[in-house]
Amino acid sequence: MADARGLVKRRAGARLWLSAGWLALLVIVALFAPLLAPQDPLMQDLFAARMPPFWESGADPNFLLGTDSLGRDVLSRIIYGARIALGVALVAGLLTCLIGSLLGLIAGYFRGWPDLVISRFVDIWMAFPPVLFSILLIAVIGTGLSSIIIAVVVIDWTRFARVIRAEAMSQGAMDYVASAQVSGRKRFSIMLTEILPNVLPTIVVLLTLEMGIAVIVEAILSFVNLSISTDDPTWGSMIAEGRLSIHQAWWVLVFPLVALFLTVLSFSQLGEGLKDHFDPVLR
C-alpha cells in the first residue's frame, strides 16, 4: 500500500512539474513576444506564401515553422496568439473564480434563503448549452477580447458556485466553526477567516481547470470568427485557416493545434496535480 501511494505521489509530482513547466514557458513567450517573435505576425508576403517548415525542402530559414496562405510567419503568430490565450485565461479565470466562489461560500455557509435563491439560479443558468450560450452572447454584445471574457465569466461561474457550496457546507459542520460561533464572532467574518482558507485548495484546482476551459472557449470563438479581428493572431483563427489548406500546407493547422492542445492539457494536468498534492491521504 505504501509503495502504491508513493508511485501515485511521484506520478502526480511529475505531472505537476511538466504541466507547470510548459505553462511557465508559455508565460515567458507571451511576455517577451516582441523580442522572441522572428517576424511581424501581421506582415504579409504573397511571394513567401505557404513556405514549409525549416526541415523540409524549399524552406526559408527566416520562417522556422513555415508561412500561411498570406505569407505570414506561423511561429510569430503562435507566439503572439499565446498572449491572447493566456490573457483570456487569466482574466476570465480570476473573475469567474471570484464571483462563483463568493456565491458558493454564501450559499453553503449561510444556508436558508441565500442558498435557495443562489442554488435555483445556478440550476436555471446551467440549463443553457454553454457553447451556444457563449456564441449568442458574443452575437449580442459584439466581438472583442472583453466580450470573450464576459462570455466565459457569465457561463462558467456556476461551476465554482456548485462545488464551493458543497465544500462550504461540509466545512460549516466542523467543530472549529461551531467554536468560532460560540465565541461570538460574526458569521461573515467566520466565512472569510475560517471557511475560506479550508476550501482554498479546491478553489485553486478549479481555477486552473477554468483557465484551460477559457482557452478552449476563446479558440472556439476565434474559429467561427466571433473573437477579435480576423487579422490578429489567435490560435483558433489559425486553425480555421489551416483547415482550409490542410493538403497544401499542413503546418498552418498542426502547429497552432499542438500549442492549443498542450496548453489545455497542461492546465488540466496542473489542476489534477494540485488536487493530488493537496490530498491529505497522499500527504
mmCIF file of all heavy atoms in Angstrom, residues 25 28 33 55 67 77 99 109 115 121 156 168 212 220 234 252-253 272-273 276:
data_model
loop_
_atom_site.group_PDB
_atom_site.id
_atom_site.type_symbol
_atom_site.label_atom_id
_atom_site.label_comp_id
_atom_site.label_asym_id
_atom_site.label_seq_id
_atom_site.Cartn_x
_atom_site.Cartn_y
_atom_site.Cartn_z
ATOM 1 N N LEU A 25 6.818 28.362 -19.499
ATOM 2 C CA LEU A 25 7.443 28.698 -20.783
ATOM 3 C C LEU A 25 6.506 29.542 -21.633
ATOM 4 O O LEU A 25 6.927 30.522 -22.272
ATOM 5 C CB LEU A 25 7.814 27.410 -21.518
ATOM 6 C CG LEU A 25 8.386 27.574 -22.931
ATOM 7 C CD1 LEU A 25 9.698 28.342 -22.884
ATOM 8 C CD2 LEU A 25 8.573 26.216 -23.593
ATOM 9 N N ILE A 28 6.422 33.124 -20.359
ATOM 10 C CA ILE A 28 7.634 33.857 -20.767
ATOM 11 C C ILE A 28 7.543 34.257 -22.234
ATOM 12 O O ILE A 28 7.860 35.388 -22.618
ATOM 13 C CB ILE A 28 8.881 33.001 -20.502
ATOM 14 C CG1 ILE A 28 9.072 32.791 -18.996
ATOM 15 C CG2 ILE A 28 10.117 33.641 -21.116
ATOM 16 C CD1 ILE A 28 10.173 31.812 -18.652
ATOM 17 N N ALA A 33 7.027 38.446 -26.243
ATOM 18 C CA ALA A 33 6.704 38.155 -27.639
ATOM 19 C C ALA A 33 7.399 39.087 -28.626
ATOM 20 O O ALA A 33 7.923 38.617 -29.643
ATOM 21 C CB ALA A 33 5.186 38.192 -27.833
ATOM 22 N N TRP A 55 12.781 22.145 -41.858
ATOM 23 C CA TRP A 55 13.413 20.863 -42.151
ATOM 24 C C TRP A 55 12.982 20.296 -43.508
ATOM 25 O O TRP A 55 13.510 19.276 -43.938
ATOM 26 C CB TRP A 55 13.101 19.847 -41.055
ATOM 27 C CG TRP A 55 11.645 19.514 -40.909
ATOM 28 C CD1 TRP A 55 10.939 18.604 -41.649
ATOM 29 C CD2 TRP A 55 10.725 20.076 -39.986
ATOM 30 N NE1 TRP A 55 9.634 18.569 -41.243
ATOM 31 C CE2 TRP A 55 9.481 19.463 -40.212
ATOM 32 C CE3 TRP A 55 10.839 21.040 -38.978
ATOM 33 C CZ2 TRP A 55 8.339 19.789 -39.470
ATOM 34 C CZ3 TRP A 55 9.718 21.364 -38.239
ATOM 35 C CH2 TRP A 55 8.488 20.746 -38.480
ATOM 36 N N THR A 67 5.039 29.416 -43.399
ATOM 37 C CA THR A 67 4.139 30.560 -43.528
ATOM 38 C C THR A 67 2.750 30.083 -43.927
ATOM 39 O O THR A 67 2.573 28.950 -44.390
ATOM 40 C CB THR A 67 4.658 31.546 -44.589
ATOM 41 O OG1 THR A 67 4.731 30.867 -45.856
ATOM 42 C CG2 THR A 67 6.023 32.082 -44.219
ATOM 43 N N ARG A 77 3.039 34.144 -35.272
ATOM 44 C CA ARG A 77 1.609 34.224 -34.974
ATOM 45 C C ARG A 77 1.241 33.323 -33.795
ATOM 46 O O ARG A 77 0.369 33.660 -32.997
ATOM 47 C CB ARG A 77 0.794 33.854 -36.216
ATOM 48 C CG ARG A 77 0.908 34.906 -37.315
ATOM 49 C CD ARG A 77 0.146 34.521 -38.564
ATOM 50 N NE ARG A 77 -1.297 34.473 -38.352
ATOM 51 C CZ ARG A 77 -2.082 35.547 -38.315
ATOM 52 N NH1 ARG A 77 -1.563 36.756 -38.455
ATOM 53 N NH2 ARG A 77 -3.385 35.411 -38.133
ATOM 54 N N ILE A 99 -16.386 35.475 -8.546
ATOM 55 C CA ILE A 99 -17.848 35.539 -8.475
ATOM 56 C C ILE A 99 -18.436 34.210 -8.009
ATOM 57 O O ILE A 99 -19.249 34.156 -7.077
ATOM 58 C CB ILE A 99 -18.418 35.935 -9.849
ATOM 59 C CG1 ILE A 99 -17.964 37.350 -10.223
ATOM 60 C CG2 ILE A 99 -19.946 35.850 -9.854
ATOM 61 C CD1 ILE A 99 -18.302 37.751 -11.648
ATOM 62 N N TYR A 109 -22.530 28.304 3.429
ATOM 63 C CA TYR A 109 -22.359 28.575 4.850
ATOM 64 C C TYR A 109 -23.611 29.172 5.496
ATOM 65 O O TYR A 109 -24.016 28.774 6.577
ATOM 66 C CB TYR A 109 -21.171 29.505 5.072
ATOM 67 C CG TYR A 109 -20.963 29.856 6.529
ATOM 68 C CD1 TYR A 109 -20.713 28.858 7.471
ATOM 69 C CD2 TYR A 109 -21.036 31.173 6.956
ATOM 70 C CE1 TYR A 109 -20.534 29.178 8.807
ATOM 71 C CE2 TYR A 109 -20.853 31.496 8.294
ATOM 72 C CZ TYR A 109 -20.609 30.493 9.217
ATOM 73 O OH TYR A 109 -20.446 30.809 10.539
ATOM 74 N N ASP A 115 -29.086 30.289 0.184
ATOM 75 C CA ASP A 115 -28.790 29.039 -0.508
ATOM 76 C C ASP A 115 -29.885 28.708 -1.511
ATOM 77 O O ASP A 115 -29.615 28.280 -2.643
ATOM 78 C CB ASP A 115 -28.634 27.912 0.514
ATOM 79 C CG ASP A 115 -28.279 26.584 -0.132
ATOM 80 O OD1 ASP A 115 -27.695 26.604 -1.239
ATOM 81 O OD2 ASP A 115 -28.586 25.542 0.458
ATOM 82 N N PHE A 121 -30.943 29.690 -8.990
ATOM 83 C CA PHE A 121 -30.396 30.492 -10.081
ATOM 84 C C PHE A 121 -29.325 29.703 -10.828
ATOM 85 O O PHE A 121 -29.249 29.756 -12.070
ATOM 86 C CB PHE A 121 -29.827 31.799 -9.528
ATOM 87 C CG PHE A 121 -29.542 32.825 -10.579
ATOM 88 C CD1 PHE A 121 -30.564 33.354 -11.343
ATOM 89 C CD2 PHE A 121 -28.248 33.263 -10.809
ATOM 90 C CE1 PHE A 121 -30.308 34.309 -12.321
ATOM 91 C CE2 PHE A 121 -27.978 34.213 -11.781
ATOM 92 C CZ PHE A 121 -29.016 34.726 -12.537
ATOM 93 N N ASP A 156 -19.444 30.269 -16.910
ATOM 94 C CA ASP A 156 -18.758 29.289 -16.062
ATOM 95 C C ASP A 156 -18.754 29.591 -14.573
ATOM 96 O O ASP A 156 -18.215 28.797 -13.794
ATOM 97 C CB ASP A 156 -17.305 29.133 -16.535
ATOM 98 C CG ASP A 156 -17.191 28.204 -17.726
ATOM 99 O OD1 ASP A 156 -18.185 27.536 -18.043
ATOM 100 O OD2 ASP A 156 -16.113 28.148 -18.344
ATOM 101 N N ALA A 168 -18.245 24.329 1.311
ATOM 102 C CA ALA A 168 -18.565 25.220 2.428
ATOM 103 C C ALA A 168 -19.564 24.568 3.380
ATOM 104 O O ALA A 168 -19.466 24.729 4.605
ATOM 105 C CB ALA A 168 -19.119 26.544 1.900
ATOM 106 N N GLY A 212 -8.005 26.517 -18.448
ATOM 107 C CA GLY A 212 -7.973 25.675 -19.643
ATOM 108 C C GLY A 212 -9.265 25.779 -20.439
ATOM 109 O O GLY A 212 -9.245 25.838 -21.674
ATOM 110 N N ILE A 220 -12.534 28.406 -29.769
ATOM 111 C CA ILE A 220 -13.782 28.096 -30.496
ATOM 112 C C ILE A 220 -14.369 29.353 -31.115
ATOM 113 O O ILE A 220 -14.773 29.362 -32.285
ATOM 114 C CB ILE A 220 -14.795 27.428 -29.549
ATOM 115 C CG1 ILE A 220 -14.309 26.030 -29.145
ATOM 116 C CG2 ILE A 220 -16.171 27.327 -30.208
ATOM 117 C CD1 ILE A 220 -15.184 25.365 -28.103
ATOM 118 N N THR A 234 -4.660 34.601 -33.472
ATOM 119 C CA THR A 234 -5.219 33.760 -32.412
ATOM 120 C C THR A 234 -5.113 32.314 -32.871
ATOM 121 O O THR A 234 -5.168 32.024 -34.082
ATOM 122 C CB THR A 234 -6.689 34.105 -32.123
ATOM 123 O OG1 THR A 234 -7.478 33.868 -33.295
ATOM 124 C CG2 THR A 234 -6.849 35.554 -31.690
ATOM 125 N N VAL A 252 0.212 24.929 -41.141
ATOM 126 C CA VAL A 252 -0.628 26.047 -40.702
ATOM 127 C C VAL A 252 -1.690 25.565 -39.712
ATOM 128 O O VAL A 252 -2.083 26.299 -38.798
ATOM 129 C CB VAL A 252 -1.296 26.726 -41.915
ATOM 130 C CG1 VAL A 252 -2.151 27.914 -41.471
ATOM 131 C CG2 VAL A 252 -0.245 27.186 -42.911
ATOM 132 N N LEU A 253 -2.138 24.329 -39.860
ATOM 133 C CA LEU A 253 -3.128 23.746 -38.945
ATOM 134 C C LEU A 253 -2.468 23.060 -37.759
ATOM 135 O O LEU A 253 -2.899 23.237 -36.609
ATOM 136 C CB LEU A 253 -4.003 22.747 -39.695
ATOM 137 C CG LEU A 253 -4.944 21.880 -38.850
ATOM 138 C CD1 LEU A 253 -6.038 22.744 -38.217
ATOM 139 C CD2 LEU A 253 -5.566 20.775 -39.691
ATOM 140 N N GLU A 272 -5.070 18.589 -11.820
ATOM 141 C CA GLU A 272 -5.041 17.241 -11.241
ATOM 142 C C GLU A 272 -3.854 17.067 -10.303
ATOM 143 O O GLU A 272 -3.963 16.443 -9.244
ATOM 144 C CB GLU A 272 -4.983 16.206 -12.373
ATOM 145 C CG GLU A 272 -6.233 16.100 -13.209
ATOM 146 C CD GLU A 272 -7.413 15.577 -12.420
ATOM 147 O OE1 GLU A 272 -7.207 14.731 -11.537
ATOM 148 O OE2 GLU A 272 -8.545 16.026 -12.677
ATOM 149 N N GLY A 273 -2.708 17.620 -10.707
ATOM 150 C CA GLY A 273 -1.534 17.508 -9.848
ATOM 151 C C GLY A 273 -1.698 18.261 -8.543
ATOM 152 O O GLY A 273 -1.296 17.769 -7.477
ATOM 153 N N ASP A 276 -3.986 16.230 -6.268
ATOM 154 C CA ASP A 276 -3.262 15.146 -5.603
ATOM 155 C C ASP A 276 -2.317 15.690 -4.535
ATOM 156 O O ASP A 276 -2.118 15.067 -3.488
ATOM 157 C CB ASP A 276 -2.471 14.333 -6.634
ATOM 158 C CG ASP A 276 -3.375 13.583 -7.595
ATOM 159 O OD1 ASP A 276 -4.554 13.369 -7.236
ATOM 160 O OD2 ASP A 276 -2.921 13.242 -8.690
#
